[in-house]
Amino acid sequence: MPRYLREREESRTPVAFAGYRSTALRAPLRTPVDLPHRLTEVTGPVLGEDRVTAADADLTLRSGGEAQGQRIIVHGRVLDSDGRPVPHALVEVWQANAAGRYRHVVDNWPAPLDPHFDGLGRVVTDGLGRYEFTTVKPGAYPWGNHHNAWRPAHIHFSLFGQAFTQRLVTQMYFPDDPLFGQDPIFNSVPPNARHRAISRFDLERTQDNWALAYRWDIVLRGRDQTPFETDDDGDVA
Amino acid sequence: MSTEHPSPLVRSADGTNDRRPGTPRRGSGFLDEPFRLGTTPSSTVGPYLAIGLTWEDGPYAVPEGTEGAIWLRGRVYDGNGDLVPDAMIETWQADPDGLFDHPDAPAGERRFPGFRGLGRSHTVEPHGEYGVLTLKPGRVPDGEGGWQAPHVDVSVFARGLLDRLVTRVYFADEAAANAEDVVLRGLPDDASRATLVAQPSEDGYWLDIRLQGDRETVFFAV
Ligand SMILES: [Fe+3]
């Protein structure tokens, strides 16, 4: 039975972060209890093609028309930390429209809604762990966490991987966003891991006269390969 | 001037020689530890998760009308004791025979067609409440020669949580199995065990999840 690697404390996002106000009453105050991986933790749902349609991978064509905004292709690979691709895995994404507005009853700031953009996408990775979808670049939006607080442009991602331990919900950012410095959600990620949340501009994958492109590889926790015991001469004992 | 090599595996040109007198043996030529990619950091689902994560069949780990199906329900509370109406609960569990439909699990004849093992419920309607229609799981080996009590692994996602929370649901009418369960036994006292034990209800079982406070639910690091 496999076991999955624990993430290093110094590079994983803490569940609570003082600058992000909503964590104050929601993040648990007690230290979590260590749960060694057993069958329930190393298995997970097998979800795939039957949860998506081809149209789910293009967020720019909804309700019979073209979404407003800068058209972009977002693509990359889903790997585990040993570099192995995670094939046939469901990836769910959601985002604000080009003006920074979500199609959601709680989002009431006065930026326009777009009748041809609902902000929902779903894809399944191929046999090599690759995913790709077409969307518009989301706008930044204000969120009231502190005076003049703005979220940097981002796309929300949800992945199951292949085991309960690999479950990941996260956010993808765009390179060189000037709003990074004032955003507590971005800055809750320890400094040495922040670059892993930022996509890179990918000139090669842009499409002439059509779309810009960004690449973002997602790394889920890998398996803990128990090393062979070796004696002083380096032979397997 | 020293230039940084693009690979983290290559020493810089002015790196000092770390061989000391008496160094027992030279390197094997292989990495001492496997080289690993850094994992992608988690983030909060935020307040707008309903856009991306709503499934019509989410709460149905088994189809409606399945014989023996139970509703696993409860409410989610914050540190003020207020209901949390924008959380998402996901459940993952074995079938009633204790089997998982997964390549890393022991094979076995699976007798429950339509059983997905996964439930997903938003705490929107009713306000602050989750509900998953499922089958009660069977016992699963604990990897130490014993058996775990019937249990459901649970992930909690919400605005204000930068990483998911992991907890478990056990069942009050499984007292004998619960007493032998390696995870429950590892908890410090009965009060913490009680935060994981669902009570029988009208249509299944009920367990509240308290994110903070005196009766804070036991959460696990996996
Ligand atoms: Fe957002």
Side-chain angles (χ1 to χ4, degrees), chain B residues 10-188:
Chain B
V10 176
R11 291 183 213 265
S12 60
D14 59 359
T16 51
N17 187 340
D18 62 0
R19 290 196 71 178
R20 297 173 305 281
T23 303
R25 62 189 170 93
R26 67 182 186 87
S28 62
F30 296 97
L31 295 170
D32 293 334
E33 281 182 41
F35 182 66
R36 302 204 190 273
L37 301 171
T39 50
T40 304
S42 78
S43 189
T44 177
V45 285
Y48 307 122
L49 66 163
I51 293 174
L53 300 178
T54 301
W55 295 350
E56 269 190 55
D57 62 350
Y60 298 94
V62 286
E64 240 176 331
T66 300
E67 198 189 324
I70 53 165
W71 277 101
L72 182 57
R73 301 183 196 270
R75 296 200 179 107
V76 182
Y77 294 96
D78 73 8
N80 267 350
D82 292 330
L83 289 166
V84 177
D86 55 0
M88 180 175 79
I89 303 298
E90 279 178 359
T91 59
W92 172 247
Q93 57 165 99
D95 74 13
D97 289 337
L99 298 176
F100 294 94
D101 184 9
H102 190 276
D104 290 326
E109 192 205 341
R110 278 177 290 272
R111 300 187 297 123
F112 304 93
F115 175 74
R116 190 172 62 195
L118 171 77
R120 176 188 268 188
S121 173
H122 295 250
T123 56
V124 175
E125 192 64 60
H127 191 80
E129 193 172 313
Y130 69 91
V132 168
L133 185 74
T134 188
L135 296 170
K136 194 173 170 187
R139 298 184 73 173
V140 175
D142 65 9
E144 296 162 34
W147 293 84
Q148 299 181 75
H151 65 276
V152 175
D153 272 15
V154 175
S155 302
V156 184
F157 302 86
R159 168 178 67 86
L161 298 175
L162 286 159
D163 199 354
R164 69 163 168 169
L165 303 178
V166 171
T167 184
R168 274 186 168 193
V169 175
Y170 287 88
F171 300 88
D173 51 3
E174 296 282 348
N178 290 346
E180 294 171 7
D181 184 85
V182 64
V183 175
L184 286 176
R185 286 167 61 113
L187 298 180

Side-chain angles (χ1 to χ4, degrees), chain A residues 157-173:
Chain A
F157 276 68
S158 171
L159 298 98
F160 286 92
Q162 292 168 320
F164 182 79
T165 49
Q166 287 188 320
R167 184 82 177 90
L168 178 70
V169 170
T170 186
Q171 301 182 19
M172 182 201 95
Y173 298 91

Side-chain angles (χ1 to χ4, degrees), chain A residues 13-128:
Chain A
T13 316
V15 69
F17 188 73
Y20 176 22
R21 276 187 7 212
S22 297
T23 65
L25 283 172
R26 292 187 166 192
L29 301 177
R30 296 187 191 156
T31 309
V33 175
D34 201 62
L35 184 69
H37 300 168
R38 299 185 178 86
L39 266 175
T40 321
E41 290 73 40
V42 303
T43 55
V46 181
L47 302 163
E49 314 288 347
D50 55 332
R51 295 216 75 91
V52 302
T53 67
D56 291 340
D58 190 346
L59 288 75
T60 70
L61 272 181
R62 297 283 155 91
S63 311
E66 280 274 355
Q68 300 284 336
Q70 175 69 63
R71 192 183 296 116
I72 61 173
I73 292 161
V74 177
H75 76 106
R77 291 181 82 189
V78 182
L79 304 166
D80 72 15
S81 52
D82 299 311
R84 283 187 301 205
V86 180
H88 315 299
L90 178 66
V91 181
E92 297 172 278
V93 300
W94 68 103
Q95 65 167 86
N97 69 20
R101 179 92 183 261
Y102 283 92
R103 188 170 284 285
H104 191 288
V105 293
V106 172
D107 189 358
N108 284 320
W109 84 290
L113 285 167
D114 179 344
H116 300 302
F117 190 79
D118 60 15
L120 161 67
R122 286 178 187 146
V123 289
V124 172
T125 60
D126 70 8
L128 296 174

